[in-house]
Amino acid sequence: MQLNFIANQSVASPSGRTLPVLDPSDGQPFDEIQRSDARDIDAAAQAARACFDGPWSALSAAERGRLLMKLSNAVAAHAGELALLEQRDCGKPTRQAAADAAALARYFEFYAGACDKLHGETLPYQSGYSVLTWREPHGVTGHIIPWNYPMQIFGRSVGGALAAGNVCVVKPAEDACLSLIRVAQLAAEVGFPPGAINIVTGYGHEVGDALARHPGIDHISFTGSPSVGTLIQQVAAERHCPVTLELGGKSPQIVFADADLDAAIPVVINAIVQNAGQTCSAGSRVLIEQAIYEPLMARLGQAFKALRVGPAALDLDVGPLIRASQQQRVQDFLSSARADGIATVAQGRVVDEAPAAGFYQAPVLLADVPVAHRVAQEEVFGPVLSAMPFRDEDHAVELANATHFGLVAGIWTRDGGRQFRMARRVKSGQVFINNYGAGGGVELPFGGYKSSGYGREKGFEALYGFTVLKTVAVRHG
Ligand code: NAD
């Protein structure tokens, strides 16, 4: 049985209720988490406030950095344990779970080094004045985390907030809590004061909503779906609480005829099958220049047919989806594509060892998808790649920008001028040329245009969002 972690204590929710934890590889329950309510959020917010007003703000920036570095080392030392927890909880293949644990350690390492490099400015002003700016923490920050990359998203969100001098109340997704509870315990073990990192589990509409509404939360960092992002904004607007939103994507991989296809093909495929396509930055559309459309589709089709799907511990190309409803969601997209005459070019194979009750979905490559079709517009959040041909640069830009999202784009071409023209014209928060690296890149600011959200996480840039700028003008004559 998993408990909440508040003020460095493992505590049961006063609700007395729990939720089962299912293993996506076999669909069976193996643990329980607390089904918390507003009382748990209140307790966590109070513990966080006491920490912020007390021991946390008494630390110098360098001391905060040393604590974060200790946490990075503890995560690295427990990487195997954390990866196994997340593998069982989320169905991640072994290599992916290990990569996520390594990324978590790296986030804390990066933000450990950033603590004492964040500073304000002095500004030229009228004679007789000195003006300076301070970057102050918001105070108690709330973090609402999705289930697809719990460790990575915790690392970037909580790591940045702590580095900027905030304390944290974290609401993990109900499907993905185990690794984060353990990380908070590790933080306590390495010396984080009680209340610096608090974890409260439960349903989004109950405990997530309570977090967003709580008057003691000074900033909300939300990563999740656009629809819940809208709710968070509405709730936060009532008390003018600042919000950072990392929402979804429908990211294009744009492949020109002059591209190095040997380099592009494995990256294009990995960008949609990694984490079974449950990645906000998944390259879920491939736009292919007309001249190479047929041959490239043939090669992609061959590669798709070779993909194998199975239990997380077998570490195949693709693991299970997170839960039955996600499996159903992907199936619904595929049914509507079939009903509208969209051709499946190729699909991978679920291996015989996969338990029937697991949440498996073979990767699917769809051809000639009309740009307005929902499978080309909405997030499937599964291993489904929509292909469409384009005529020229203008057409490629038109297709690339033809969704409500704008998170990441990949551009594959050897033409240097075209690389920059395309990068300028594509509306997305990150552009990768002849690579597609959003899965890593702790140092690289990440976030969206349009419905992909606003504000930036990752990199040094994130620290600005986790601070309030105060201007101080001194008239000294
Ligand atoms: P979701 O929006 O359903 O849930 C995200 C989190 O919000 C969970 O912790 C959930 O419990 C909580 N939540 C749900 N309803 C809530 C409410 N009414 N009030 C407060 N909190 C609530 O999304 P999901 O299904 O967990 O994740 C998939 C989505 O997340 C996809 O759209 C994906 O693209 C997006 N995502 C984006 C990024 C990014 O960085 N841009 C990263 C990962 C996932």
Side-chain angles (χ1 to χ4, degrees):
M1 160 91 73
Q2 302 288 329
L3 301 176
N4 288 331
F5 198 73
I6 298 174
N8 285 0
Q9 301 289 324
S10 295
V11 285
S13 170
S15 75
R17 295 189 293 183
T18 60
L19 295 172
V21 178
L22 302 189
D23 181 341
S25 291
D26 61 15
Q28 302 306 307
F30 67 96
D31 204 343
E32 286 174 284
I33 55 166
Q34 301 298 302
R35 180 174 168 183
S36 311
D37 61 27
R39 287 170 291 180
D40 302 274
I41 289 294
D42 194 45
Q46 285 191 36
R49 180 67 58 194
C51 184
F52 182 74
D53 289 343
W56 190 248
S57 296
L59 293 175
S60 70
E63 287 167 332
R64 273 202 317 275
R66 279 181 216 121
L67 263 183
L68 273 164
M69 196 59 223
K70 283 186 189 167
L71 182 54
S72 171
N73 290 335
V75 167
H78 291 80
E81 176 195 352
L82 291 167
L84 269 181
L85 280 173
E86 204 157 294
Q87 172 164 75
R88 190 94 196 270
D89 202 7
C90 306
K92 285 178 187 272
T94 308
R95 276 166 296 174
Q96 184 65 49
D100 289 1
L104 176 63
R106 174 69 188 125
Y107 274 113
F108 290 139
E109 179 186 48
F110 177 84
Y111 284 118
C115 289
D116 56 2
K117 282 121 198 132
L118 179 66
H119 53 74
E121 295 176 316
T122 55
L123 307 176
Y125 194 54
Q126 296 170 20
S127 98
Y129 285 82
S130 286
V131 181
L132 59 151
T133 58
W134 291 332
R135 291 211 162 266
E136 298 189 334
H138 292 282
V140 179
T141 51
H143 303 259
I144 301 178
I145 314 267
W147 43 261
N148 56 347
Y149 289 92
M151 281 194 282
Q152 290 215 33
I153 293 169
F154 180 93
R156 77 185 193 202
S157 180
V158 169
L162 292 169
N166 302 280
V167 292
C168 304
V169 177
V170 180
K171 208 301 275 176
E174 46 273 38
D175 296 299
C177 299
L178 306 193
S179 55
L180 303 191
I181 293 171
R182 184 71 188 111
V183 175
Q185 292 167 352
L186 291 174
E189 286 168 24
V190 301
F192 276 76
I197 303 176
N198 307 277
I199 311 274
V200 180
T201 64
Y203 282 130
H205 65 276
E206 294 178 350
V207 77
D209 182 67
L211 172 62
R213 288 181 194 279
H214 197 285
I217 301 291
D218 302 316
H219 176 277
I220 300 169
S221 175
F222 173 78
T223 304
S225 59
S227 55
V228 177
T230 304
L231 290 176
I232 302 282
Q233 284 181 94
Q234 286 167 342
V235 168
E238 285 173 21
R239 57 191 181 84
H240 308 115
C241 178
V243 176
T244 300
L245 294 177
E246 299 285 4
L247 308 177
K250 195 73 194 174
S251 299
Q253 297 266 20
I254 308 169
V255 188
F256 285 90
D258 69 343
D260 176 351
L261 297 185
D262 291 339
I265 287 170
V267 178
V268 167
I269 288 171
N270 186 57
I272 186 61
V273 301
Q274 177 180 321
N275 212 39
Q278 305 167 121
T279 304
C280 49
S281 55
S284 53
R285 296 184 294 151
V286 59
L287 317 182
I288 304 174
E289 192 166 6
Q290 189 77 61
I292 57 160
Y293 187 74
E294 295 300 332
L296 180 53
M297 285 299 281
R299 290 183 67 180
L300 288 173
Q302 284 304 320
F304 261 70
K305 281 182 195 150
L307 292 169
R308 290 179 313 146
V309 186
L314 291 189
D315 202 20
L316 304 176
D317 304 303
V318 184
L321 299 174
I322 188 77
R323 54 170 124 83
S325 63
Q326 190 65 22
Q327 196 183 21
Q328 188 57 52
R329 174 186 163 88
V330 177
Q331 286 294 326
D332 289 347
F333 272 101
L334 291 172
S335 303
S336 82
R338 262 194 307 275
D340 293 326
I342 294 171
T344 296
V345 175
Q347 69 175 50
R349 179 172 69 82
V350 179
V351 299
D352 297 340
E353 298 92 314
F359 310 134
Y360 297 100
Q361 170 62 54
V364 175
L365 174 62
L366 300 173
D368 302 319
V369 179
V371 65
H373 195 276
R374 61 187 287 253
V375 81
Q377 286 290 327
E378 298 172 34
E379 268 192 312
V380 177
F381 234 51
V384 177
L385 180 59
S386 294
M388 57 192 83
F390 67 83
R391 294 183 299 276
D392 53 21
E393 271 181 47
D394 285 347
H395 192 206
V397 170
E398 183 189 320
L399 293 177
N401 291 340
T403 76
H404 292 298
F405 293 108
L407 195 57
V408 180
I411 297 167
W412 297 86
T413 176
R414 288 185 167 100
D415 179 332
R418 176 187 282 153
Q419 292 170 357
F420 278 87
R421 284 193 300 276
M422 290 296 295
R424 286 244 181 236
R425 296 178 71 190
V426 168
K427 287 229 176 318
S428 67
Q430 287 190 329
V431 178
F432 292 96
I433 295 166
N434 295 332
N435 77 99
Y436 196 81
V442 167
E443 308 83 352
L444 313 181
F446 179 66
Y449 274 65
K450 303 191 277 185
S451 291
S452 290
Y454 53 77
R456 292 293 177 264
E457 290 200 331
K458 302 172 78 163
F460 202 83
E461 184 72 25
L463 299 180
Y464 301 130
F466 284 122
T467 53
V468 181
L469 192 76
K470 181 180 279 179
T471 305
V472 180
V474 183
R475 182 163 166 252
H476 41 66

